Amino acid sequence: RFNLFNMKSKFLSSALCSLIALSMTAYAQNLSELVAQLDSDQMNQRTEARNSIQQLLTNSTAPTADASARMVLEQEALQLLQSDLSHSAQVWLLRMLELTGSEASIPVTAGYLNSPDTELRDCARRALVANPAPQANAVLYQAMLRSSDAEKRAYIDGFAFRGDGRAAKVIVPLLKSDDADIVVQAANALVILNEPSVYSELKVAHTNAPEGSRAAIELAMLVTGADA
């Protein structure tokens, strides 16, 4: 028996899917076009492109936004980051991933931690620190191990910002650093994380620390209760 209602429902469902697909394609094309404008020789066009990219990506993460469209946009941004982009375009897209990146963005972003360019490494680290996925912790830890002393301090702050107590185990070995500033920063981060599993290690570090670093570790022990 012919059912007009079912026919209309199927037609509407098909039309809706088509519209969503077209919309997602338009999003991706729009992003690519905007990224190309980041290299314009006109400052106004570059500024407008940066603002438009930020609005496009941040809007896609709104609670009412379409989840599929958001995934398409993120994948497009990641594909662009793996293409032959200018330095300024790479920097801006990494900064946008700091605002909108999900677990899917971690591998591509992590690749930039090995860049010889200091600014790109910094942007990638910031994006991973802000990434809500717990998988970012392991990536940040491995990058910190091979980083310079100056960059280590930024990683320590990043772990404290993420607030994941498991990062305390990563930070404790830095209390043995010969750089007093790193020791102080590590101790401050441990205060913020307040992870009981590292209390015994704090005590050992305090016992073995040189005089210049001992005060910071002692303060961390007092604040966290590790001296009890």
Side-chain angles (χ1 to χ4, degrees), residues 178-215:
D178 294 329
D179 187 323
D181 289 338
I182 288 180
V183 174
V184 170
Q185 210 154 0
N188 290 339
L190 290 171
V191 168
I192 294 171
L193 294 173
N194 197 11
E195 175 55 44
S197 65
V198 300
Y199 286 179
S200 60
E201 292 167 89
L202 264 174
K203 291 179 181 179
V204 172
H206 178 261
T207 300
N208 299 326
E211 187 175 347
S213 305
R214 191 172 297 154

Side-chain angles (χ1 to χ4, degrees), residues 13-57:
S13 177
S14 176
L16 181 59
C17 290
S18 298
L19 284 172
I20 291 174
L22 286 171
S23 174
M24 290 189 292
T25 303
Y27 276 136
Q29 290 174 343
N30 193 22
L31 180 60
S32 298
E33 292 166 2
L34 289 170
V35 169
Q37 292 173 26
L38 293 174
D39 298 324
S40 170
D41 56 1
Q42 300 295 317
M43 186 179 73
N44 289 344
Q45 287 187 4
R46 296 195 302 271
T47 301
E48 185 176 345
R50 283 193 291 267
N51 291 338
S52 297
I53 291 170
Q54 181 171 348
Q55 183 175 3
L56 184 66
L57 289 172

Side-chain angles (χ1 to χ4, degrees), residues 138-161:
V139 174
L140 288 165
Y141 171 58
Q142 291 299 323
M144 184 181 71
L145 291 180
R146 60 179 182 270
S147 66
S148 66
D149 284 349
E151 288 182 323
K152 274 186 176 62
R153 291 195 284 272
Y155 279 101
I156 293 169
D157 283 347
F159 282 122
F161 173 82

Side-chain angles (χ1 to χ4, degrees), residues 85-125:
L85 286 183
S86 66
H87 180 269
S88 59
Q90 289 175 316
V91 166
W92 193 247
L93 283 180
L94 285 171
R95 287 181 176 177
M96 293 304 96
L97 287 179
E98 182 180 348
L99 299 176
T100 64
S102 72
E103 180 183 347
S105 70
I106 291 177
V108 172
T109 308
Y112 276 89
L113 294 174
N114 300 317
S115 172
D117 185 273
T118 302
E119 186 176 15
L120 290 177
R121 289 199 307 274
D122 182 66
C123 288
R125 175 184 50 76

